[in-house]
Amino acid sequence: MKNNSSTKKYVYFFGAGKADGNESMKNLLGGKGANLAEMAGHPKLQLPVPPGFTISTDVCTYYYEHQQSYPEKLPLLVTNALKSVEKMMGKKFGDTHNPLLLSVRSGARRSMPGMMDTVLDIGLNDDTIQGLIRQSGNEHFAYDAYRRLVMMYADVVMEKAAGIEPKNGKGIRKLLDEKLASVKQAQGYSSDTELTVPELKTLVKEFKAIVKKVLGTPFPDDPYQQLWGSIGGVFGSWNGKRAIDYRRIEKIPNEWGTAVNVQAMVFGNLGNDSATGVAFTRNPGTGENKFYGEYLVNAQGEDVVAGTRTPAPINAYSKNSQSDQLETLEKLMPKIYKELNTIQHKLETHYKDMQDIEFTIEKGKLYMLQCRVGKRNGVAAVRMATDMFSEGLIDATTAILRVAPNQLVELLLPMLDPAVEMATKPIAKGLPAGPGGAKGRVVFSSAEAVEWAAKGEKVILVREETSPDDIDGMHKSQAILTSKGGMTSHAALVARGWGKCCIVGCSDIEINQETKSFTTKDNAIVKEGDLISLNGTKGLVYQIDMPLVATDLNKNKSYKKLMHLVDQIKLMGVRANAETPKDAAQALSFGAEGIGLFRTEHMFYGEASEQPLFLLRKMIMSKTATERTNALNELFVYVKKDIKDTMEVMKGLPVTIRLLDPPLNEFVPHDTEKLRRLSKELNIPLALLQRRVLALEENNPMLGHRGVRVGISHPDITEMQVRAIFEASAEIIKSGKKAFPEIMVPVTCSVNELIHQKEIVDRVYGEVCAKMKMKNIPYLYGTMIEIPRAALLADKMAQSADFFSFGTNDLTQMSFGFSRDDIGGFLPNYLSQKILAEDPFQTIDQEAVGELIQLGTDRGRKTKKQLKVGICGEHGGDPASVKFCHRIGMNYVSCSPFRVPIARLAAAQAAVEFGKINK
Ligand code: PEP
Ligand code: MG
């Protein structure tokens, strides 16, 4: 026999202070089984768990390896365990006087909610039901249980597990449900509880007749046949379609298998001294350390979930607007409540985390049916982690690991009211480019956004895609929605930088500029001025005016406490991508330790950009060297001020200033009207200007005359910028403050480019020192690594660089050969068909781009041991990428200001998970 099955235990008992298993055995017993064993058997818990046993995942593995059969000794093991359950319950399975009923439930290592099957009330037949009626004194309850058993068993065991394909797509459960509905309708009942005993009796008979007719075999009366059928049904459901699909999505290995939990039934629907409920040891919505939960008197677990009756609060704290009139469990059953409260305390102290618990009260006796670590939102996660640390329940590293970095987003931005959102159907879905929620009136152009906003309207800018020309309108909008573009498209980049809600690549909508409207794929029409709401965290669009819930980070004491711990633990620096004093101040308030990317070109877009843009255009269009020098000299004043203002805010923290990057033709107007205006302003004939614009045009500007290439063609452009940087720094230092610029050359592919530009830097440095009468001005000289060739030649690049900053937006673009602005057309398909697991512009493709980064870092440091290495692509704010950066020994990551807290937390988690990395 395979698998040395004779030595395996296979069946693990739990109940009344004893258990063969414990919490650490999740792989073998599944999450539910392991926690039931822990609750029942741990010396410090000894909780009232209905006795039962877990058939281990080993049996599931055996079952599938042996043509769906069981190990030889399993029946005996089950019989023995069942005897112990009978003894503890004082009841006997299959007995006609005092019958024990059983539940059979699945339980995988990781929770797979609703994906596998359950059978309840096992052991009932026409004889044992008499015993149940005697025991409970409640005939209605007994027949209700019986009809539920017939339905569940027929569905799970006789149809699904037997592999019977329903005729006309209508399964047995549906057919029985229809029968039930027809009886209710004939009698005018609105709920199952109104059915009379004779009606239930008839229903059970009719159910059985339908089962036999449709499935070809009768419902088994033998309790043992019911039990083994149910065990097989649950093992079979591991390979049901729903479970297989779920595992594929959640990346749960098929080999894990499920365990099966067989447990004595207890009933919360035996009258007004019975109840069932769900509770959390702390409030999962706010994190407050208060016991929070709901219950229903005279009900079964599924009634709480089904939502047909409004659950009552367990205590005054748990009341809400719908339930505040209902009696609390604390008032109704004070002794039981006290016992439950003691248990929840015990459980939380024991597990050292918030627990989600299920309980049932049967005729005045409390039973614990389940406990597991409870899900929580971001706000609650931060509060629980820091409170538990302060209470001494967990240590600092555990507290840090308790919050998923992306959960912090919920603390930073206003969001759509979750309750309203849950009850509303979205009209379209796109890529979640800028998190948070927003609402406003739809406009279709930047100019209209500016105009409407000036009138005090809150607007949402809807475009196919955006360009730098749209910047004003984007700024004035509450949110941006584009039908095209990917996560690093212009709209996404800008919105993320501003912490603005944004959805891109929303191909569900089709924009009609003529009628000023968009149509969704379900034919909803949204016109200019209509109100919509966006959930930028999930990429969802709603056609209603949804309330927003605000969040104020500075008032959040728990957040501050968490970040204090984070800073003590993290090893990697976190900087921000910022270009204005306002953004810099924002970044500082979020804890940035410098600016990792100051994109100089920002000053030519948006607010107050008119004059510098005019001068830049003048410079671009100049024909002679003198013309250009004059224009550059005029521009210099603006560039210097721009850099100086931001450096002053940063108070001596490093500011990485990148020399001009985009292709020059991006800055010249292309429509005739604007060109005519420029021709007047520059005093150049229109035809000549048009010829010059045409000469600048390129087929592929992203790979064209841009970045360092412009600085090599026109050294005076580099010179002007470098002079501005040094003079700004010198003036700040002379005024008694600190400045630390890092000059960064973009889009390099050869060390010769760096050597060429360095000569300019050295010369200008000497000139500025002399002019300002300074011995030295601190600075570093370095390069972006955005081209695979530069990464491969990093040892050479490091000869002329003090630092590298990986521009992973372009590095990803050039490694994949995917245009970062055009992935909206195919990426969703790539992701849904699993050709790529993840959007490589959101999270670093560690397999290939990551290898280039690691190799570039290592080769660079071979040449220069102290080489400073960072990242400034959008990935710098993605937690998985931040952890990768830590692992390969980077000095810092840089991301948009609003992602700084997220990157800080991810960096601290990386330090906990991977330890210190030698740089
Ligand atoms: C990059 O390419 O990763 C980068 C930061 O530069 P930009 O996005 O400005 O091209
Ligand atoms: Mg780049």
Side-chain angles (χ1 to χ4, degrees):
M1 207 177 282
K2 261 190 186 174
N3 276 349
N4 60 339
S5 53
S6 56
T7 60
K8 292 205 168 166
K9 189 167 160 59
Y10 291 134
V11 172
Y12 293 76
F13 177 81
F14 57 81
K18 280 195 293 191
D20 298 332
N22 61 51
E23 192 235 342
S24 70
M25 294 162 73
K26 287 206 172 81
N27 294 357
L28 200 59
L29 305 181
K32 187 190 278 276
N35 282 331
L36 282 170
E38 186 83 359
M39 283 200 290
H42 193 281
K44 286 198 178 137
L45 293 173
Q46 307 270 304
L47 303 183
V49 172
F53 52 90
T54 304
I55 304 175
S56 74
T57 53
D58 278 344
V59 176
C60 191
T61 311
Y62 184 102
Y63 181 79
Y64 283 109
E65 279 177 357
H66 295 81
Q67 292 85 44
Q68 313 203 350
S69 65
Y70 300 116
E72 224 172 81
K73 64 177 183 177
L74 189 71
L76 181 65
L77 295 171
V78 166
T79 307
N80 288 342
L82 188 52
K83 272 189 192 143
S84 306
V85 177
E86 288 173 333
K87 209 165 137 201
M88 270 175 200
M89 292 298 286
K91 296 177 185 175
K92 218 167 154 8
F93 187 60
D95 193 84
T96 50
H97 292 279
N98 192 17
L100 170 72
L101 299 192
L102 297 171
S103 68
V104 170
R105 295 175 213 260
S106 61
R109 261 188 229 192
R110 243 178 46 209
S111 161
M112 294 170 54
M115 296 302 135
M116 285 183 293
D117 291 314
T118 291
V119 186
L120 304 177
D121 304 325
I122 296 162
L124 276 179
N125 58 30
D126 291 344
D127 300 326
T128 57
I129 195 165
Q130 301 310 327
L132 186 65
I133 294 168
R134 254 193 305 278
Q135 248 178 29
S136 61
N138 189 335
E139 207 174 0
H140 188 281
F141 149 79
Y143 276 100
D144 190 51
Y146 199 5
R147 64 107 186 153
R148 285 179 201 247
L149 168 66
V150 176
M151 185 189 270
M152 273 191 253
Y153 192 87
D155 172 40
V156 173
V157 184
M158 298 175 69
E159 185 177 78
K160 285 202 198 116
I164 295 178
E165 274 303 318
K167 280 196 194 110
N168 312 322
K170 226 185 226 181
I172 189 75
R173 186 182 279 264
K174 181 104 182 75
L175 292 170
L176 299 180
D177 259 336
E178 282 177 1
K179 179 78 216 163
L180 174 67
S182 75
V183 175
K184 276 163 63 183
Q185 201 188 6
Q187 303 299 332
Y189 300 153
S190 58
S191 114
D192 298 357
T193 50
E194 293 173 73
L195 291 163
T196 63
V197 171
E199 280 161 2
L200 280 169
K201 272 187 187 171
T202 315
L203 209 52
V204 169
K205 272 206 191 99
E206 285 174 343
F207 269 20
K208 285 185 174 179
I210 296 173
V211 168
K212 183 156 182 220
K213 184 161 164 247
V214 175
L215 301 175
T217 40
F219 170 80
D221 284 329
D222 177 4
Y224 282 92
Q225 200 184 331
Q226 290 175 13
L227 174 61
W228 283 101
S230 302
I231 293 171
V234 171
F235 280 135
S237 69
W238 174 256
N239 271 350
K241 187 176 170 342
R242 268 180 310 163
I244 291 175
D245 287 350
Y246 185 84
R247 285 204 294 276
R248 199 184 53 238
I249 295 161
E250 293 292 314
K251 301 191 177 91
I252 296 176
N254 290 330
E255 314 76 74
W256 279 7
T258 181
V260 172
N261 298 294
V262 180
Q263 197 174 13
M265 284 291 300
V266 288
F267 298 97
N269 53 343
L270 274 175
N272 287 341
D273 55 354
S274 302
T276 187
V278 176
F280 302 88
T281 57
R282 296 183 191 219
N283 185 331
T286 64
E288 200 176 357
N289 187 5
K290 293 261 172 70
F291 189 31
Y292 179 90
E294 296 175 325
Y295 79 108
L296 275 176
V297 169
N298 196 11
Q300 282 201 316
E302 61 192 59
D303 302 326
V304 183
V305 186
T308 40
R309 282 166 63 191
T310 307
I314 54 164
N315 51 20
Y317 176 75
S318 308
K319 285 187 173 184
N320 60 37
S321 57
Q322 278 172 27
S323 69
D324 60 357
Q325 301 303 320
L326 302 171
E327 191 157 37
T328 64
L329 182 69
E330 188 171 16
K331 273 227 171 98
L332 189 73
M333 304 181 187
K335 261 176 74 183
I336 298 258
Y337 177 80
K338 216 170 144 201
E339 189 186 350
L340 183 65
N341 195 27
T342 309
I343 287 176
Q344 67 95 6
H345 264 301
K346 263 193 193 172
L347 280 173
E348 194 180 271
T349 314
H350 184 72
Y351 283 99
K352 302 185 192 312
D353 200 353
M354 188 268 273
Q355 297 295 300
D356 165 350
I357 59 186
E358 287 177 21
F359 61 91
T360 282
I361 299 157
E362 183 185 278
K363 294 194 159 198
K365 179 161 171 35
L366 175 67
Y367 291 97
M368 302 306 297
L369 296 190
Q370 178 161 318
C371 85
R372 60 182 166 196
V373 171
K375 294 216 179 341
R376 62 208 71 183
N377 66 25
V379 175
V382 172
R383 176 145 185 199
M384 285 181 199
T386 50
D387 281 359
M388 286 184 191
F389 170 70
S390 304
E391 293 157 21
L393 199 60
I394 55 176
D395 60 16
T397 53
T398 310
I400 278 168
L401 294 176
R402 283 279 166 87
V403 182
N406 276 329
Q407 285 187 306
L408 290 182
V409 172
E410 291 170 45
L411 280 75
L412 296 166
L413 300 164
M415 2 175 237
L416 297 181
D417 187 331
V420 183
E421 191 173 7
M422 205 134 82
T424 313
K425 194 171 174 276
I427 54 164
K429 188 171 193 307
L431 299 173
K439 60 177 180 172
R441 297 194 183 278
V442 169
V443 291
F444 291 94
S445 78
S446 173
E448 275 157 342
V450 174
E451 205 177 296
W452 286 48
K455 287 187 279 179
E457 281 288 0
K458 291 195 181 326
V459 297
I460 291 182
L461 178 62
V462 182
R463 309 272 297 149
E464 273 190 358
E465 52 197 338
T466 62
S467 75
D469 273 347
D470 294 320
I471 213 93
D472 265 354
M474 293 167 80
H475 200 228
K476 296 285 179 331
S477 303
Q478 303 301 307
I480 299 141
L481 169 63
T482 72
S483 58
K484 294 187 177 160
M487 292 298 277
T488 57
S489 63
H490 178 260
L493 216 93
V494 171
R496 216 168 302 139
W498 290 341
K500 191 171 284 243
C501 173
C502 175
I503 297 174
V504 299
C506 183
S507 51
D508 284 356
I509 66 166
E510 202 175 320
I511 299 172
N512 186 334
Q513 284 290 358
E514 258 169 45
T515 56
K516 292 195 176 174
S517 66
F518 70 76
T519 313
T520 69
K521 66 176 195 312
D522 293 326
N523 294 320
I525 297 175
V526 176
K527 298 200 198 76
E528 183 182 66
D530 286 356
L531 263 167
I532 59 169
S533 307
L534 305 188
N535 178 336
T537 312
K538 291 186 180 152
L540 300 172
V541 184
Y542 297 92
Q543 203 175 6
I544 64 160
D545 175 10
M546 213 179 276
L548 289 172
V549 210
T551 40
D552 183 351
L553 198 57
N554 287 324
K555 286 198 184 132
N556 190 327
K557 284 191 201 129
S558 305
Y559 165 80
K560 285 187 169 167
K561 239 192 246 171
L562 180 74
M563 286 325 217
H564 180 68
L565 297 179
V566 158
D567 288 338
Q568 288 175 329
I569 285 171
K570 79 176 178 53
L571 300 165
M572 201 167 49
V574 175
R575 299 189 188 183
N577 296 354
E579 297 89 10
T580 62
K582 192 167 154 246
D583 284 355
Q586 179 75 270
L588 278 180
S589 81
F590 285 144
E593 296 153 288
I595 288 180
L597 176 61
F598 178 102
R599 290 177 167 106
T600 24
E601 58 272 14
H602 92 94
M603 64 181 294
F604 305 116
Y605 306 124
E607 236 170 76
S609 65
E610 237 166 62
Q611 189 57 13
L613 181 61
F614 168 70
L615 294 171
L616 181 75
R617 285 171 170 172
K618 195 168 157 184
M619 184 274 285
I620 294 169
M621 290 303 156
S622 52
K623 217 173 99 202
T624 64
T626 330
E627 260 176 44
R628 187 167 43 243
T629 309
N630 287 344
L632 278 171
N633 285 344
E634 283 181 273
L635 192 55
F636 168 80
V637 182
Y638 288 90
V639 175
K640 181 169 138 187
K641 177 172 176 348
D642 200 52
I643 291 169
K644 190 175 166 188
D645 287 351
T646 295
M647 275 212 291
E648 279 192 311
V649 173
M650 293 308 288
K651 298 189 180 87
L653 290 171
V655 177
T656 311
I657 300 153
R658 180 174 74 183
L659 303 180
L660 201 63
D661 185 17
L664 294 182
N665 81 341
E666 215 173 80
F667 299 105
V668 294
H670 294 277
D671 66 280
T672 324
E673 193 36 52
K674 282 186 182 157
L675 271 175
R676 186 165 291 134
R677 221 179 316 143
L678 189 65
S679 93
K680 262 199 205 130
E681 286 167 348
L682 295 178
N683 203 15
I684 303 176
L686 181 63
L688 180 61
L689 192 67
Q690 277 169 326
R691 274 206 303 282
R692 288 191 196 165
V693 169
L694 213 61
L696 279 174
E697 246 166 44
E698 294 176 321
N699 279 331
N700 201 344
M702 263 289 184
L703 303 177
H705 199 176
R706 60 173 287 208
V708 67
R709 297 155 210 171
V710 173
I712 286 173
S713 310
H714 307 294
D716 45 359
I717 298 183
T718 299
E719 177 172 337
M720 179 276 288
Q721 296 179 82
V722 170
R723 193 179 301 282
I725 294 169
F726 284 137
E727 282 199 16
S729 304
E731 284 175 13
I732 293 172
I733 293 167
K734 283 215 140 179
S735 73
K737 292 184 245 161
K738 284 185 187 157
F740 190 70
E742 299 181 342
I743 299 169
M744 180 157 77
V745 187
V747 217
T748 52
C749 64
S750 156
V751 68
N752 291 335
E753 292 166 327
L754 283 176
I755 293 169
H756 178 284
Q757 298 286 288
K758 185 68 172 31
E759 277 171 20
I760 303 171
V761 171
D762 287 345
R763 177 169 54 78
V764 175
Y765 176 79
E767 288 168 11
V768 175
C769 282
K771 179 180 165 193
M772 304 296 288
K773 300 194 175 45
M774 286 174 74
K775 272 215 188 82
N776 73 339
I777 302 166
Y779 81 99
L780 295 180
Y781 175 74
T783 181
M784 295 202 54
I785 306 280
E786 296 166 281
I787 297 178
R789 187 177 199 272
L792 291 167
L793 295 176
D795 50 343
K796 297 214 172 63
M797 303 298 280
Q799 288 165 3
S800 182
D802 304 318
F803 68 89
F804 286 173
S805 178
F806 283 91
T808 43
N809 300 335
D810 278 318
L811 190 60
T812 300
Q813 170 165 266
M814 293 194 227
S815 301
F816 275 84
F818 289 174
S819 158
R820 54 195 268 197
D821 294 316
D822 302 306
I823 49 163
F826 60 89
L827 193 73
N829 235 338
Y830 265 54
L831 297 176
S832 67
Q833 294 187 36
K834 301 253 173 276
I835 289 169
L836 285 178
E838 235 117 19
D839 178 348
F841 289 98
Q842 268 187 65
T843 192
I844 289 176
D845 159 53
Q846 296 188 18
E847 218 181 347
V849 179
E851 181 157 357
L852 276 175
I853 297 171
Q854 170 136 40
L855 166 161
T857 305
D858 295 347
R859 288 187 186 172
R861 288 205 177 124
K862 262 210 183 109
T863 302
K864 205 170 264 172
K865 200 159 172 266
Q866 296 308 321
L867 186 79
K868 212 180 201 182
V869 180
I871 177 180
C872 63
E874 287 301 293
H875 305 86
D878 165 64
S881 308
V882 172
K883 290 183 183 181
F884 166 80
C885 293
H886 170 96
R887 200 157 50 75
I888 65 151
M890 274 198 196
N891 299 82
Y892 69 89
V893 296
S894 186
C895 55
S896 45
F898 281 88
R899 297 217 55 101
V900 165
I902 293 150
R904 284 163 70 198
L905 177 56
Q909 291 187 346
V912 174
E913 285 161 14
F914 305 113
K916 195 168 162 59
I917 304 289
N918 288 327
K919 288 179 198 142

